[in-house]
Amino acid sequence: MSTTPDTQLPYYEDVSPGNGGLPPRAWAPGSDAARLSLGGDWAFRLSPTATAEDESFARPDYDASGWGTLAVPGHWVLQGHGAPIYTNVLYPFPVDPPRVPNENPTGDHRRVFDLPEDWPAEGGAVLRFEGVESCARVWLNGQELGVFKGSRLPHEFAVGELLRPRGNVLAVRVHQWSSGSYLEDQDQWWLPGIFREVTLLHRPADAVTDFFVHASYDHASGEGTLRVDAEPGGRVTVPELGLDLATGESATVAVEPWTAETPRLYEATLATGGERVALRVGFRTVVVEDGVIKVNGKRVLFRGVNRHEFHPETGRTVDLDTMRQDLVLMKRHNINAVRTSHYPPHPALLDLCDELGLWVIDECDLETHGFVDLGWRGNPVDDDRWTPALVDRAGRMVERDKNHASVVMWSLGNECGTGRGLTAMADWIRERDPSRVIHYEGDMSCADTDVYSRMYASHEEVGQIGQRTEAPWADAELDAKRRGLPFILCEYAHAMGNGPGGLSDYQRLFEAHDRCQGGFVWEWIDHGIAKRTAEGELFYGYGGDFGEELHDGNFVCDGLIFPDRTPSPGLIEYKKVIEPIRIEGDGAAGTVRVTNTHDFADLSHLAFSWAHEVEGVAVEGGELAVPPLAPGEFADLKLPDRPAAADAGGEALWTVRARLAADTAWAESGHEVAWGQIQATAPTAPPAPTATGAALAPRREDGAIVLGPGAFDAATGALVSLGGLTVTGPRLDLWRAPTDNDNGASWQPDERYGLIWRQLGLHRLHHRVDAVESADDALTVRTRVAPAATDVGFEAVYRWTADADRLRLDVSVTPLGEWTCPLPRLGVRLGVPASLGRAEWFGGGPGEAYPDTHAASRIGRWALSVDDMQTPYVRPQENGARADVRWARLTGEDGAGIAVEGAPPFWFTARRWTTEQLDAAEHTPDLSPSADTVWVNLDHGQQGIGSQSCGPGVLPQYRLDAAPAEFSFTFSRV
């Protein structure tokens, strides 16, 4: 580590938070004071180092006519100047704090602006920056204002005396790397620039300098207490509550409390001699009591996500409409909480959380993860020289966001190890705002926190924590404190690629143990950056696609929504797992139990309906009267009698749905919140060919074997046509293109099956035909299926029987050798003509599902094109399986094609490329549809998904272990 004294370092390398700025204060978008946005096209020049150009560009008379332009807010690396860098943990420069490389891209920005004609002549003005990465030096009209660091935090400068009516010149020098970069090693793209708004704010005489809204709620009395502290003093009015108070004065009145389920806000106004500020007040109280986080006297269960700010084209420059889109999507998918990983978000997001109703963990702009591989040597959070910068960051977060009802926890940062700086931050926050819980995950002792927080703890450990039997901490006093704290998983269920698996199993633990108060899925969005091929096809780039020296590949694509904000199957699954109403029933008795699992809301805002479905088609339906159950209550209700004739057509189910009864701020009336299905009659196996017609014997014809509608290769016994339709296969298939969770992460202690499968050779199986046997009633093909260089494999016996129209395949498989790992899949693969591009099936849908991502799979009759059955993960991998399929059809434009029925129900996948092509692809344009074939997998079993790209692997109950198995399919033409 460097021993150079800080006094010899340039401003961008010293450890201070900056100089020349104003103290932090509350976000006040509702002010009636004048403001001027300085966004737009700025003159821009990029230099390769911090010292390549002098500071003359800040002079008002400087000629910048030869410069380019840059959109501000924005990142220069996304506008043709340099390139983004993605690392998860590693610093992309030598670790020598607080020093940074000579190669330090530096962007000089100039903005010339006039004051509006109606800009007030009296009073002062403040220049406000909402976010700049990573260090900025600022001049106005040639006068240096100061320097600041803390990329995702606001900074203000007093500029009133420097302004002139016309021709103001704002100059900003931004360095990509600074000492502050050591504090901002979050798992995300490194994207330098002025990426949030720059605004000029008029400050009238006697304007509000700062204010703090204190609005508590007493759940016993139903009353709220309001006090607004402000400098200078003034008055606060809340017309709806009849309040007119002096600042600093308290009043207690009956109110409706604010919660994430019932986000009640009261419009208020803070008025001083020079300014009026509109407020939205939510009354609520947050405490830790009896080892549980309670809001307004009740335990809360966080059904949360981690949210980075990201847009595939503009990076961390995210507009208000996109922020609202994010939160509306969350609410529509039953998400009730956001952790602002790993920095405070744009402040407008918190306004939206107040309005729409989401709990928020507001996290400080602090992470030093890159020191972990150095044994935390030189970690700034345990170096007193850095403490002022750390406390400055904590203060800027708290002061900006302190008036938001949605913020219930302050988080000190993320993955910083431990140290004195964190303690100083926690002490400062407690002194300033004791009304919220303090969070930090990185210290297992919980020395500075009010909550025990973990990442990616296994299901087994979460169960132990719920029972307070977790492994002890070395310090007995701290261990006792930790065991008395509430527990959350601040990150879990890593949503990278196909997955995450095991969500339902976690949720059952959260609901079983009061101490386990939920978690936050990692994470909300895939950070894929929009790129195009030479032919113009859109795809999304990840680490390594931009020439980085060091990168972490597609680990940056680990969200519940795709970069274009399309929900992934993982989000659909999460919505079902965390739905706040549980619907279960007894088909034989014709009853349904509805349980309210909200924390605060009763069920009066929902309308319930039922449908009786036969073979996936609703034959009868109606409304279901459900009482307005309070949280935790349930009711057993009688379903209508079903007519006997309704079930004559096949398998029957009840589907009960809970939908919004009226429009809300985040969804229209009729939006489905929860659903459940109840089996009315048991599934039935398809009849064997002999049950519907005379069994036929195989015969030789023109060098082939013919059996019913099927023709087989005489030498190999492979099916080559069905009723004149060309077919390839079917034959045993064990391979799937490994998911990110199959491949796992290098630091995972569990076995990484994707690597094991490839080492074993399951992607290159050899199929040996041992016998092709014709009998009076069947064609039997005996095979051995195994990879090269090992003695493990499978004996697979295919037994074909037929009548005139239907061809049945019975498959019997027996493992050979000693299998020490589960299988990726077990089933058969076949090819059908590419013209059969339409799929219809009766079974789980409409989206994909796997053994541990199965909750959202609803039994019904579904239809999609083969193309639409694919899930476009940013890095292609196994996808698209439909679960519990009873029958499926693939047809062409004319409706003709092939049908398959299975016993037991099977997994159905259809795609226009092979598994091997899917495995080889790195980006979606790498997948070229076959002009000849649709490849179909009919699987008896699938390995679960798990979360091992960062979290736990597949739970034992979802493993597909090698074992003898029998399954059958019946094929026919349609």
Side-chain angles (χ1 to χ4, degrees), residues 728-735 767 796-798 800 809-813 825-831 900 906-909 915 935-942 967-969 971:
T728 303
R731 66 179 187 177
L732 190 70
D733 194 11
L734 307 179
W735 180 242
H767 296 255
V797 178
Y798 310 99
W800 294 94
L809 169 63
D810 290 286
V811 183
S812 174
V813 295
R825 68 176 353 123
L826 179 64
V828 296
R829 187 201 308 190
L830 68 152
V900 58
F906 56 97
W907 307 86
F908 168 53
T909 310
T915 300
W935 294 99
V936 182
N937 278 92
L938 309 172
D939 290 318
H940 175 65
Q942 277 268 1
F967 47 95
S968 66
F969 303 103
F971 302 92

Side-chain angles (χ1 to χ4, degrees), residues 650-972:
E651 182 182 350
L653 298 100
W654 299 97
T655 296
V656 176
R657 304 169 66 201
R659 293 171 292 180
L660 291 178
D663 293 348
T664 69
W666 47 270
E668 295 180 348
S669 171
H671 166 77
E672 184 177 271
V673 175
W675 59 273
Q677 288 190 306
I678 304 159
Q679 198 81 41
T681 61
T684 57
T690 52
T692 59
L696 300 177
R699 69 183 189 276
R700 298 267 176 173
E701 189 175 292
D702 297 329
I705 299 175
V706 177
L707 178 61
F712 299 79
D713 183 279
T716 64
L719 181 67
V720 295
S721 73
L722 177 71
L725 191 75
T726 301
V727 176
T728 303
R731 66 179 187 177
L732 190 70
D733 194 11
L734 307 179
W735 180 242
R736 74 183 188 194
T739 67
D740 291 314
N741 287 303
D742 288 337
N743 287 332
S746 59
W747 59 85
Q748 290 291 350
D750 297 333
E751 291 180 299
R752 299 165 64 193
Y753 291 126
L755 277 62
I756 293 172
W757 295 336
R758 199 177 300 278
Q759 291 166 355
L760 186 59
L762 297 188
H763 60 305
R764 46 174 175 78
L765 294 173
H766 292 258
H767 296 255
R768 187 184 73 205
V769 177
D770 289 336
V772 178
E773 303 169 347
S774 294
D776 288 343
D777 61 348
L779 173 68
T780 302
V781 182
R782 303 184 185 278
T783 68
R784 188 180 192 275
V785 182
T790 180
D791 62 353
V792 301
F794 271 89
E795 178 186 86
V797 178
Y798 310 99
R799 185 175 186 273
W800 294 94
T801 54
D803 57 27
D805 300 314
R806 306 167 76 240
L807 186 65
R808 175 174 172 134
L809 169 63
D810 290 286
V811 183
S812 174
V813 295
T814 305
L816 303 172
E818 184 177 352
W819 284 86
T820 59
C821 66
L823 305 173
R825 68 176 353 123
L826 179 64
V828 296
R829 187 201 308 190
L830 68 152
V832 300
S835 60
L836 304 188
R838 295 182 172 184
E840 183 183 7
W841 70 97
F842 173 43
E848 72 181 31
Y850 291 83
D852 55 352
T853 63
H854 196 268
S857 183
R858 190 181 324 206
I859 301 300
R861 187 177 296 192
W862 311 104
L864 286 172
S865 71
V866 168
D867 297 328
D868 288 341
M869 291 183 71
Q870 314 313 304
T871 303
Y873 293 113
V874 173
R875 186 193 74 80
Q877 55 199 271
E878 165 64 32
N879 72 89
R882 269 57 181 184
D884 301 317
V885 174
R886 281 71 161 158
W887 57 256
R889 298 176 186 139
L890 287 163
T891 58
E893 295 287 342
D894 61 357
I898 187 172
V900 58
E901 300 171 88
F906 56 97
W907 307 86
F908 168 53
T909 310
R911 54 175 68 106
R912 294 189 181 275
W913 37 76
T914 66
T915 300
E916 291 72 24
Q917 291 169 318
L918 185 62
D919 183 22
E922 296 293 334
H923 298 89
T924 50
D926 297 336
L927 293 167
S928 298
S930 169
D932 303 317
T933 309
V934 167
W935 294 99
V936 182
N937 278 92
L938 309 172
D939 290 318
H940 175 65
Q942 277 268 1
Q943 167 80 349
I945 296 296
S947 188
Q948 202 176 351
S949 53
C950 193
V954 177
L955 288 168
Q957 61 266 37
Y958 306 120
R959 284 173 45 126
L960 180 61
D961 290 318
E966 295 183 353
F967 47 95
S968 66
F969 303 103
T970 301
F971 302 92
S972 59

Side-chain angles (χ1 to χ4, degrees), residues 179-201:
S179 59
S181 301
Y182 286 99
L183 304 180
E184 297 170 4
D185 187 30
Q186 292 100 341
D187 174 13
Q188 62 179 343
W189 295 98
W190 298 88
L191 297 172
I194 305 172
F195 67 93
R196 290 184 187 157
E197 295 85 354
V198 183
T199 311
L200 185 68
L201 306 172

